[in-house]
Amino acid sequence: MKNRVEIVDVAPRDGLQNEKAPFSTEQKLELINGLIDAGIRRMEVASFVHPKRVPQMADAEDVIAGLPDRADVTYIGLTLNMRGYQRAIATRDGGRRGLDEVGCVIVASETFSQKNQGQTIEEGISVASEIISAAHSDGLRGQATISAACGCPFEGEVDPRLVIDIAKQVADLNPHEIAIADTIGVGTPKQVFELFSALRRALPDMPLRGHFHNTRNTGIANAWAAYMAGARILDSSVGGLGGCPFAPAATGNIGTEDLLYMLERSGIETGVSLEKIIDVSKSLEPILGRPTPAMVSKAGGFPAPAQETTCVA
Amino acid sequence: MKNRVEIVDVAPRDGLQNEKAPFSTEQKLELINGLIDAGIRRMEVASFVHPKRVPQMADAEDVIAGLPDRADVTYIGLTLNMRGYQRAIATRDGGRRGLDEVGCVIVASETFSQKNQGQTIEEGISVASEIISAAHSDGLRGQATISAACGCPFEGEVDPRLVIDIAKQVADLNPHEIAIADTIGVGTPKQVFELFSALRRALPDMPLRGHFHNTRNTGIANAWAAYMAGARILDSSVGGLGGCPFAPAATGNIGTEDLLYMLERSGIETGVSLEKIIDVSKSLEPILGRPTPAMVSKAGGFPAPAQETTCVA
């Protein structure tokens, strides 16, 4: 089990949330079914946020109602407050399948937390505590993500001691795992290795999950650094879907096919088929009206396709 | 000096060689001047190949004749055979500045070497020996690149023992350095770390240079892995210019701005200005008629630009 990574595909949530192209509920369910068919066994399927703020998530309940009832797949919904949690838990009303897990977010920057969530970090931890406790009472898994962990758009550097301090407090809530998110894609492999190593030492028994954006082309390097420091759960988004509106040319999450390529060639098992993920990635392009940012779906896997014209140097 | 990396910008050669957009000699010299102004002190400026094979390099002699006569900059020309070498050394005729260094290439795959160069690996080493000896006699620096070192488009896996064996033979020629090239962009950080570590052990005093393509989004991770294994010379191409014709959607060399961003944020000195490299990168887009593949020139450096709309998770 040492050389195994659980890939959490976040395309249906983080990948789509800022996407301008309108994805219908049916198209989202096709995406989710494609991911399951490719071997993905855990994914973020929706977030419960105000539809005016994130229109792409307005049909969260409909998507969840249409999820295939697979016992071997874990569906996560993101909830930023108890109002969101109430919507998440309601997906199970009347004995319906609904969600298996809720995620909540603590921002590791006072300014970012206040500007985006209207709450202090302390309040963020308190909300996370409420959500995870409620989830446990309701028989759901609860996980916590510490976001902006590699840098903040307002404050710049984020002190790793702050991240570790938050993680320790979050660990007391007994979450399924703690995810560390480089929300704005500024992290570097040295930084990520040091941060995850410190977390590993501080919380030796807590499963760590890494969430990286490829905004500055460091995403895959950061994922590898997190793996090297002990993370065995990594987020990615098929096609590299996603991205923040503030940097239109920048990609979002690291691409599932790119992560998978690196892990497979490194002898790490994931249970996910690269070929099928590439098919899912390609199926998104007509909806998006543009190529996805991930690379392996264009370049192909290994061995590379041979051509006489290949340049030698 | 421990935390210092020499960035060799290969945009004028590897970046341009497969580029369809016609760059005039003047535009190439503008690019080279921009790189020098940004702090690049060593670069590949041309290759001496048949103009029918690589039309973009047809004006190699004109480019070299127009190079600024800077004592602090090392200009490298790539020579694949003695015919190429004769052209390289002729750039210094009549007391002209010309090139400072020639590079030669040994392909670490029998099939690739035969198909592309029409010679065996053994013959490749012999040609490299001839070129480096001639360079030394003529008062030029000579370096050798072992290409396809992370995988071959014809044979698939390349045995690292073959790369090390070639490197040992090449080391006897007393080159300025040995470069290890992932020519087709299939390498992974685990593989690169192991290969460079083995080379470091086999040739403890030989400077190692890493040349990575971002074809499958592993380029920056590979550059970091090479650094971690002791390489202190890394190639990149401003804008991430380059790419092989066999994979049209795939980018070429890792982008100088992306490499620089990672190194700078890791506390590693390069002497190169990120801001100025981004300017050079942006100046290429009107000539190319498309955005360059590098990411930091779009997303910006660190701290990231703040926007209220930034998504928290």
Side-chain angles (χ1 to χ4, degrees):
Chain A
M1 289 299 283
K2 220 174 147 192
N3 290 329
R4 194 173 169 88
V5 160
E6 179 185 48
I7 296 182
V8 181
D9 203 300
V10 298
R13 198 278 303 172
D14 202 8
L16 289 182
Q17 70 180 7
N18 293 302
E19 184 49 52
K20 290 282 176 294
F23 273 66
S24 68
T25 307
E26 289 64 36
Q27 284 168 326
K28 290 176 189 174
L29 288 169
E30 241 171 81
L31 164 61
I32 290 165
N33 278 290
L35 293 173
I36 294 172
D37 185 51
I40 296 287
R41 291 294 173 265
R42 191 166 169 227
M43 63 183 92
E44 284 187 3
V45 292
S47 66
F48 298 97
V49 283
H50 199 286
K52 276 205 184 134
R53 201 156 174 213
V54 187
Q56 193 70 262
M57 293 292 120
D59 63 347
E61 279 83 355
D62 297 334
V63 169
I64 293 163
L67 290 172
D69 187 11
R70 294 272 302 241
D72 58 344
V73 179
T74 302
Y75 299 119
I76 314 170
L78 200 68
T79 59
L80 299 179
N81 48 45
M82 281 306 286
R83 217 166 36 246
Y85 179 79
Q86 293 309 336
R87 285 177 62 194
I89 192 66
T91 64
R92 289 161 69 97
D93 280 354
R96 285 177 300 160
R97 154 80 198 237
L99 293 170
D100 305 296
E101 181 174 334
V102 290
C104 56
V105 176
I106 302 114
V107 187
S109 148
E110 265 322 333
T111 315
F112 199 2
S113 184
Q114 303 257 14
K115 290 221 181 213
N116 207 282
Q117 307 280 82
Q119 62 192 13
T120 63
I121 296 176
E122 216 44 50
E123 287 164 344
I125 296 170
S126 160
V127 169
S129 169
E130 235 187 312
I131 292 172
I132 291 173
S133 302
H136 288 169
S137 307
D138 292 331
L140 286 181
R141 293 206 319 205
Q143 71 79 234
T145 295
I146 304 176
S147 79
C150 299
C152 166
F154 304 100
E155 297 184 8
E157 294 293 352
V158 166
D159 191 334
R161 288 170 299 187
L162 173 62
V163 178
I164 291 159
D165 181 55
I166 296 171
K168 280 182 177 167
Q169 294 185 61
V170 168
D172 291 337
L173 316 174
N174 199 24
H176 176 68
E177 86 206 342
I178 296 177
I180 300 297
D182 178 15
T183 310
I184 57 169
V186 290
T188 61
K190 178 171 188 281
Q191 177 188 26
V192 167
F193 183 82
E194 288 170 358
L195 179 58
F196 276 74
S197 298
L199 283 161
R200 184 75 293 135
R201 284 189 298 271
L203 301 165
D205 299 322
M206 178 60 65
L208 296 179
R209 173 176 159 198
H211 176 97
F212 301 105
H213 284 251
N214 200 34
T215 318
R216 286 164 185 81
N217 240 332
T218 56
I220 289 288
N222 292 342
W224 183 248
Y227 174 82
M228 291 298 283
R232 289 296 175 271
I233 314 168
L234 293 171
D235 285 6
S236 61
S237 161
V238 62
L241 212 63
C244 266
F246 75 91
T251 64
N253 300 103
I254 56 171
T256 302
E257 55 265 54
D258 296 351
L259 176 62
L260 197 49
Y261 173 83
M262 177 181 67
L263 295 176
E264 264 190 15
R265 275 210 82 206
S266 307
I268 296 161
E269 280 175 35
T270 63
V272 182
S273 155
L274 179 57
E275 203 182 339
K276 287 186 174 180
I277 283 291
I278 290 175
D279 287 345
V280 176
S281 182
K282 286 186 172 160
S283 76
L284 297 172
E285 301 198 344
I287 311 173
L288 296 167
R290 59 170 199 275
T292 54
M295 307 278 291
V296 170
S297 36
K298 286 97 190 162
F302 188 85
Q307 293 237 167
E308 304 281 332
T309 47
T310 299
C311 26
V312 80
Chain B
M1 290 298 284
K2 220 174 146 192
N3 290 330
R4 194 175 168 88
V5 159
E6 179 185 47
I7 295 182
V8 180
D9 203 302
V10 298
R13 197 277 303 172
D14 202 8
L16 288 182
Q17 69 180 7
N18 293 302
E19 184 48 52
K20 290 282 176 295
F23 273 67
S24 68
T25 306
E26 288 66 35
Q27 284 168 327
K28 290 177 190 175
L29 288 169
E30 240 171 82
L31 165 60
I32 290 165
N33 278 291
L35 293 173
I36 294 171
D37 184 51
I40 296 287
R41 290 295 173 266
R42 191 167 168 227
M43 62 182 93
E44 285 186 1
V45 292
S47 65
F48 298 96
V49 283
H50 198 287
K52 277 206 184 135
R53 201 156 173 212
V54 186
Q56 192 71 262
M57 292 294 119
D59 62 347
E61 278 83 355
D62 297 334
V63 170
I64 294 163
L67 291 173
D69 187 12
R70 294 273 300 241
D72 58 344
V73 180
T74 302
Y75 300 119
I76 315 170
L78 200 68
T79 59
L80 300 179
N81 48 45
M82 281 305 288
R83 219 165 35 244
Y85 179 79
Q86 293 309 336
R87 286 177 61 195
I89 192 67
T91 64
R92 290 162 69 96
D93 281 355
R96 285 177 299 161
R97 153 79 197 238
L99 293 170
D100 305 296
E101 179 174 334
V102 290
C104 56
V105 177
I106 302 115
V107 188
S109 148
E110 266 320 335
T111 316
F112 199 2
S113 184
Q114 302 258 12
K115 291 219 181 215
N116 206 284
Q117 306 282 82
Q119 62 191 15
T120 62
I121 297 176
E122 217 43 51
E123 286 163 347
I125 295 171
S126 161
V127 169
S129 168
E130 235 187 314
I131 292 172
I132 292 173
S133 301
H136 288 170
S137 306
D138 292 331
L140 286 182
R141 292 207 319 206
Q143 72 79 233
T145 294
I146 303 177
S147 80
C150 298
C152 166
F154 302 101
E155 297 183 8
E157 294 293 353
V158 165
D159 192 335
R161 288 170 298 187
L162 173 62
V163 178
I164 291 159
D165 181 55
I166 296 171
K168 281 181 177 168
Q169 294 185 59
V170 168
D172 291 337
L173 314 175
N174 199 25
H176 176 68
E177 86 206 340
I178 295 177
I180 300 297
D182 178 15
T183 310
I184 58 170
V186 290
T188 61
K190 179 171 188 281
Q191 176 189 25
V192 167
F193 183 81
E194 288 170 359
L195 180 58
F196 276 75
S197 297
L199 283 161
R200 184 75 292 133
R201 285 191 297 271
L203 301 166
D205 299 321
M206 176 61 64
L208 297 179
R209 172 176 161 200
H211 176 96
F212 302 104
H213 284 251
N214 200 34
T215 318
R216 286 165 185 80
N217 239 331
T218 56
I220 289 289
N222 292 341
W224 184 247
Y227 175 82
M228 290 298 283
R232 289 296 175 272
I233 313 166
L234 294 170
D235 285 7
S236 61
S237 159
V238 61
L241 212 62
C244 267
F246 76 92
T251 63
N253 300 103
I254 57 172
T256 302
E257 55 265 54
D258 297 351
L259 175 63
L260 196 49
Y261 173 83
M262 177 180 67
L263 295 176
E264 263 190 15
R265 276 210 80 207
S266 306
I268 297 162
E269 280 175 34
T270 63
V272 182
S273 154
L274 180 57
E275 203 182 340
K276 287 187 173 179
I277 283 291
I278 290 175
D279 287 344
V280 176
S281 182
K282 286 185 172 161
S283 76
L284 297 173
E285 301 199 342
I287 310 174
L288 296 168
R290 60 172 199 275
T292 53
M295 308 277 291
V296 170
S297 35
K298 286 98 191 165
F302 189 86
Q307 294 237 168
E308 304 282 331
T309 48
T310 299
C311 26
V312 81

